[in-house]
């Protein structure tokens, strides 16, 4: 790990202003991803800004009937919140499907959204990776790609985003709230938060340099049966090969978002509209343009079977 300076911010504005004064600085809260990357020298910030003391750790109702989840709410607390469990069960189940209890106790809402890919070529500094070192190439393309993207990828990157929480939030149409150094705030729909890899996969999201996530806002509950099905190589503590967040309404309609298949949670209006026609129609709409490799072509069929399991479930939630 390379040397760095460190400060504790007292307010969101102070944290954002400090980031503006230290180009390349990183915010740190739970540190469950950032510290690992620093030890591997994949991330080497010269300055760390500790945001644990800036007060963004509350879950509060909004005037519109939804919830505002502070950026520093720990994953354990969010999953256990009574309102989340009753009105946003897909999110609670997605959180409980991720990581271990120890990690969920430390990981934050904003940090979960911002965690970086678990592509093995990204973590191996001896391999070319455009996400780690722009312009160096992508060793995953033509390499072993079983866990990597089948849709939404590019000639520069085929990595996937690892978050379970983000898949649940995509199904809920969450909105990310931020603040910049000049005090101006933004609201970014989660559907627009993650950038496609294109030719610049190192630019992973819509945040500007130094911009700080302050909260994630959930709209009013939509009702229906909430499900989160995660398929992985072992029963726990593993990232998804495929995950499915589904909210199924009594009339057969609803929402479906996929994880483990792209650079972001994967959902479309066409996929939602196809839900009354069954799992095959939904996956055809969501993954009809998939371009899998020989290693991960199974993900398309796996996603269909996971959704079939949910639709045949008869109302019991999957997690």
């Amino acid at each position: 790990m390379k040397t760095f300076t460190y400060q504790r911010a007292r307010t969101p504005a102070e944290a954002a202003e400090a980031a503006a004064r230290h180009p390349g600085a990183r915010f740190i809260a739970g540190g469950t991803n950032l510290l690992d990357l620093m030890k591997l020298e994949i991330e080497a910030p010269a300055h760390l800004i500790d945001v644990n003391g800036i007060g963004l750790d509350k879950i509060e109702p909004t005037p519109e009937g939804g919830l505002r989840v502070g950026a520093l709410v720990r994953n354990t607390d969010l999953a256990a919140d009574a309102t989340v469990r009753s009105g946003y069960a897909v999110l609670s189940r997605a959180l409980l499907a991720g990581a271990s209890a120890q990690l969920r106790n430390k990981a934050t809402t904003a940090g979960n959204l911002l965690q970086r890919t678990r592509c093995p070529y990204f973590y191996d500094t001896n391999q070319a990776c455009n996400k780690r070192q722009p312009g160096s190439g992508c060793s995953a393309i033509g390499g072993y790609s079983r866990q990597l993207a089948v849709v939404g990828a590019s000639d520069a990157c085929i990595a996937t985003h690892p978050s379970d929480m983000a898949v649940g939030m995509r199904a809920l149409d969450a909105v990310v709230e931020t603040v910049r150094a000049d005090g101006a705030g933004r609201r970014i729909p989660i559907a627009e938060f993650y950038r496609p890899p294109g030719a610049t996969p190192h630019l992973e999201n819509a945040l500007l340099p130094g911009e700080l996530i302050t909260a994630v806002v959930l709209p009013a509950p939509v009702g229906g049966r909430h499900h989160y099905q995660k398929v992985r190589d072992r029963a726990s503590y593993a990232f998804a090969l495929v995950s499915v967040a589904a909210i199924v309404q009594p009339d057969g309609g609803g929402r479906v978002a996929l994880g483990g298949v792209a650079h972001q949670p994967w959902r479309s209006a066409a996929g939602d509209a196809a839900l009354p026609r069954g799992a095959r129609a939904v996956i055809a709409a969501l993954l009809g343009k998939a371009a899998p490799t020989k290693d991960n072509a199974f993900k398309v069929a796996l996603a269909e079977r996971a959704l079939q399991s949910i639709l045949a479930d008869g109302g019991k939630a999957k997690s």
Side-chain angles (χ1 to χ4, degrees), residues 36-245:
D36 285 343
L37 295 175
M38 289 175 66
K39 291 173 184 177
L40 294 170
E41 297 188 2
I42 293 170
E43 292 269 9
H47 189 66
L48 286 184
I49 304 165
D50 188 330
V51 295
N52 282 294
I54 65 177
L56 302 176
D57 58 353
K58 303 291 190 300
I59 303 172
E60 302 171 313
T62 67
E64 298 77 21
L67 282 184
R68 175 171 283 103
V69 180
L72 296 174
V73 172
R74 307 292 161 164
N75 287 177
T76 294
D77 296 331
L78 184 57
D81 182 84
T83 303
V84 173
R85 291 178 63 190
S86 61
Y88 307 93
V90 66
L91 176 58
S92 180
R93 294 181 177 118
L95 284 161
L96 292 174
S100 65
Q102 294 93 331
L103 287 172
R104 292 196 299 269
N105 287 343
K106 292 292 290 181
T108 63
T109 299
N112 192 306
L113 290 178
L114 294 175
Q115 65 182 302
R116 305 198 70 186
T117 183
R118 264 53 180 197
C119 172
Y121 296 97
F122 172 77
Y123 272 81
D124 185 348
T125 56
N126 293 313
Q127 301 290 334
C129 174
N130 289 315
K131 191 178 284 287
R132 175 169 28 82
Q133 186 178 356
S136 64
C138 177
S139 293
I141 297 176
Y144 184 64
S145 53
R146 182 172 182 270
Q147 294 179 304
L148 302 180
V150 299
V151 70
S154 74
D155 292 338
C157 183
I158 59 172
T160 56
H161 194 271
S163 173
D164 290 289
M165 183 192 78
V167 184
M169 287 188 168
R170 180 67 181 91
L172 293 167
D173 288 328
V175 175
V176 180
E177 294 188 336
T178 72
V179 64
R180 300 196 297 265
D182 61 3
R186 279 207 296 164
R187 289 171 55 86
I188 309 169
I190 196 165
E192 302 170 11
F193 184 73
Y194 296 106
R195 294 177 52 143
T200 56
H202 62 291
L203 302 176
E204 297 175 335
N205 55 60
L207 295 179
L208 301 172
E211 192 170 11
L212 175 71
I213 294 175
T214 55
V216 176
V217 177
L218 304 176
V222 296
R225 303 198 316 268
H226 287 221
H227 305 259
Y228 190 76
Q229 177 109 321
K230 180 176 181 178
V231 185
R232 44 192 159 181
D233 279 326
R234 59 180 188 269
S236 62
Y237 314 151
F239 296 101
L241 291 169
V242 166
S243 63
V244 181

Side-chain angles (χ1 to χ4, degrees), residues 251-316:
D251 63 1
R255 307 173 179 185
V256 178
L258 303 180
V261 299
H263 61 285
Q264 65 175 341
W266 199 251
R267 181 184 165 202
S268 72
D272 291 351
L275 191 56
R277 303 199 305 274
R280 181 165 297 179
V282 173
I283 299 306
L286 287 173
L287 299 182
K289 294 183 179 180
T293 69
K294 61 180 177 60
D295 296 324
N296 63 21
F298 70 92
K299 285 192 176 190
V300 177
L302 188 61
E304 182 180 331
R305 290 170 187 168
L307 182 55
Q308 281 176 340
S309 175
I310 286 172
L311 298 180
D313 179 63
K316 295 179 182 179

